Amino acid sequence: MDNTIRGTIEMTAAMAILGTIGWFVVLSGQPIMDVVFWHCAFGAVTLLIICAALGLLRGRLSLRIVAIAALGGAAIVINWLLLFSAFSRASISIATAVYNTQPFMLVGFGALFFSERLTMIKLTWLGIAFAGMLLIVQAAPDAGPAAGDHGADYFTGIAMALAAAFFWAVAAIVTKKLKGTPPHLIALIQVCVGVLMLAPFANLTHLPADARSWVMLATLGIVHTGLMYILMYGAIQKLPTHLQGSLSFIYPVAAILVDVVAFGHRLHPAQIVGAAAILVAAAGMNLGWSLWKSKVPA
């Protein structure tokens, strides 16, 4: 099989798996702190086995690598806590759409800390995403007599998804310092940091009593961390950047479909337009689309 075809299949599968993460978080029925702890714990065991099998544990770690990866891991764990909390407040669809403002966070960091130039095209895509955000925010669901409380929860969910995107961007910037370090090893360090961070706060004295909760928690760690990383990084090695960027948008589309099919959540027209604006703007930013033709010099 051609490498590009194999990479496309792997990336599609990875993004489809990632799109179901909200479903497993909600159906686990566990407090978010516990969900993220077990997500990290099962993920750590899975990635440890993978790294050992690939021979990545021999002579590759230094104090510098561990320290930088741990810093990124702290940001990733906070990102998971915020995003998973946003699912039950703003819905999986809206939280995922808002979370996909990550590229704009990275652009902002690049301008602030690395003196990267903000072009008119980037600012235009940022403006479109911001307009989409305004449409989503103004379309807070009407909950009758309790609309005030429900609306406040909705806005909190949006704020959490935005903050999750911010911490994802922080982790991405930090991880750039680890060029040449196997990504599976970075991920292992990150989830181990998550276990250490959350162990004091997770409810380990009252563990889930039903098998379904354990299946959901184990799946989050084994499939959404271990298997997803294998597929995604395998695809990254085979695919050109533009194709990676295109296929990454399977994730939010899959998440929205899961929300509709599994939970019957329907977006308001303004929310659909807002979510579409954010995703199109993020795609335009990632793939270098232009909204106008460049002038050809005479």
Side-chain angles (χ1 to χ4, degrees):
M1 185 184 294
D2 179 77
N3 253 5
T4 302
I5 296 174
R6 187 189 300 274
T8 299
I9 293 171
E10 289 173 345
M11 192 69 173
T12 300
M15 293 301 101
I17 289 170
L18 197 55
T20 65
I21 196 167
W23 185 65
F24 284 89
V25 168
V26 172
L27 288 191
S28 72
Q30 302 302 305
I32 296 301
M33 192 73 71
D34 294 0
V35 171
V36 179
F37 171 80
W38 289 111
H39 173 53
C40 291
F42 282 112
V45 172
T46 305
L47 286 167
L48 181 62
I49 294 170
I50 292 169
C51 288
L54 295 175
L56 300 179
L57 301 178
R58 295 193 294 270
R60 288 184 176 269
L61 289 177
S62 67
L63 184 59
R64 175 185 172 275
I65 289 174
V66 172
I68 294 174
L71 182 61
I76 281 290
V77 171
I78 296 171
N79 150 80
W80 283 332
L81 287 169
L82 290 165
L83 180 61
F84 291 0
S85 297
F87 288 151
S88 61
R89 291 173 170 83
S91 84
I92 293 171
S93 300
I94 294 300
T96 304
V98 172
Y99 184 60
N100 273 271
T101 54
Q102 303 154 336
F104 305 102
M105 306 284 184
L106 283 174
V107 168
F109 282 148
L112 282 174
F113 302 117
F114 303 107
S115 301
E116 294 178 0
R117 193 166 61 92
L118 280 176
T119 65
M120 185 56 67
I121 292 175
K122 288 180 179 179
L123 289 173
T124 302
W125 287 126
L126 179 58
I128 292 172
F130 183 70
M133 187 75 62
L134 291 180
L135 281 172
I136 287 175
V137 169
Q138 67 85 31
D142 182 8
D149 293 338
H150 194 93
D153 218 28
Y154 177 77
F155 294 133
T156 300
I158 289 175
M160 285 180 161
L162 272 174
F166 171 84
F167 280 102
W168 179 91
V170 169
I173 290 292
V174 170
T175 303
K176 278 189 175 184
K177 300 289 186 182
L178 296 173
K179 190 174 181 180
T181 304
H184 305 82
L185 197 55
I186 297 173
L188 173 61
I189 295 170
Q190 289 176 339
V191 291
C192 287
V193 166
V195 171
L196 294 175
M197 278 178 63
L198 300 179
F201 308 103
N203 189 4
L204 301 179
T205 55
H206 296 87
L207 300 176
D210 58 301
R212 189 183 78 162
S213 293
W214 280 115
V215 169
M216 294 295 169
L217 294 172
T219 302
L220 283 169
I222 297 169
V223 177
H224 291 88
T225 301
L227 178 60
M228 196 275 292
Y229 268 106
I230 293 172
L231 291 169
M232 184 171 67
Y233 288 122
I236 286 172
Q237 292 173 349
K238 300 179 182 76
L239 296 177
T241 304
H242 73 275
L243 193 49
Q244 294 172 32
S246 300
L247 293 172
S248 69
F249 287 92
I250 292 172
Y251 160 46
V253 172
I256 290 170
L257 288 175
V258 165
D259 204 14
V260 171
V261 174
F263 300 108
H265 183 264
R266 298 292 188 273
L267 299 181
H268 298 300
Q271 291 175 317
I272 293 173
V273 174
I278 291 173
L279 297 182
V280 168
M285 179 76 78
N286 276 335
L287 303 177
W289 294 345
S290 178
L291 292 170
W292 54 81
K293 290 183 179 180
S294 301
K295 291 183 178 179
V296 180

